[in-house]
Amino acid sequence: MSFPEVDTPALLLDLDQVERNVDRYQRAASAAGLQLRPHAKAHKTVQLGRLQIERGAIGVCCAKLAEAEALAAQGLEASFLITTPVVDAGKIRRLVELAKRARIMLVVDGEENVAELGRTGVTLDVLVEVDVGQGRTGVVPGAAARLAAMVSKQKSLRFRGLQGYQGRLQGVASLEERTALVREAMAKLAESERAVKEAGLPVEIKSGGGSGSFPIDLELKMLTELQPGSYVTMDTNYAKVDLGGDHSLGNPLTVLTSVVSRPVPDRAVVDAGWKSASSDSGVPSLLNGDGHGFEFAGDEHGIVRRNGAPVAIAPGDRLQLIPSHCDTTVNLYDSFVIHRSGKVTGTWPIVGRGKAQ
Ligand SMILES: Cc1ncc(COP(=O)(O)O)c(C=O)c1O
């Protein structure tokens, strides 16, 4: 039985493979003269943020204020970039408190928000977020200069540069197709940069990119700092993305699940369902599945079949599932069970779990 000491379902993380993934992207970024500011939304864990920084990252990104609060409160010493605008009076009060204890930079995309942040009187580093094609947050490229000028007029705000992230292209499997899409997105950022510079403001930082655009961002050198998140843990969705020969990554993240029943020869039931592995990007795959396949069978259960043939597993057996989407699966667990080549070395709390506020 694999991992006999671990109660299931559990989220396993192979630290040897994590280190290989972290080093692979860090070395490539450093060799290209670019900085890495990995996105902590994928792992939400102090120890993993620390590992990334010890190996060369300049800081981390957080998707939400609460994620940064949790990581800072639990001891991650880092420069934090909050990559979603922080809007509303309650959140801004919390931001001001956090900025007293941690180095914070954040993005803005609205004039009212800039005015409100300026009124706090607390010194904050600010990036203007540009919508480079995702159609989510961010000003249109033509409006970046005006907002940058407004930021620079607030005494307590320091305009540092731009953020441009295009999430929808990250999972495009073909490297060639993805390259064309990244070029398009970065042209929008370049247009914004030109306009901001023409308005007399220096653009010191250009932050963006993900695990899928990474090899292309290295070549283009449009961004100064890269924000990949999933590259640490990976998932089956990302495994389909062609990252180019030198950048391929392993899969350290699995869900350990136990067979609890085999009511008929061709169907085994395991103790992992929708509460144990996310389904937004499809079903997880079985590690070393040997012809077996996993299906969701409700909140608490999954079913394993073998194309109609009798399954080669029995109650008490353990299986490992590779999640289809790492971020949303990690967010289901309180901690990672850390192992090196199958030997458990401890647990790391996922302190940012559920911290979406
Ligand atoms: C702003 C931002 N940057 C970076 C990332 C990291 O992307 P990935 O997990 O694809 O590496 C994300 C992910 O959603 C993001 O929202």
Side-chain angles (χ1 to χ4, degrees), residues 39 41-42 61 63 83 129 134 136 163 165 167 170 208-212 227-231 238 326-327:
H39 215 305
K41 73 188 274 292
C61 297
T83 59
E129 186 179 15
Q134 175 138 17
R136 199 169 60 184
Q163 172 176 276
Y165 174 73
Q170 300 298 333
S211 304
Q227 307 179 354
S230 305
Y231 78 108
Y238 248 124
C326 55
D327 297 62

Side-chain angles (χ1 to χ4, degrees), residues 15-34:
L15 196 51
D16 290 327
Q17 186 58 58
V18 164
E19 289 171 350
R20 283 194 288 273
N21 287 359
V22 168
D23 286 345
R24 179 152 286 193
Y25 266 29
Q26 182 63 56
R27 287 195 190 124
S30 302
L34 303 180

Side-chain angles (χ1 to χ4, degrees), residues 287-302:
L287 180 70
N288 306 324
D290 190 25
H292 295 76
F294 173 87
E295 301 159 24
F296 285 108
D299 298 337
E300 317 288 349
H301 300 100

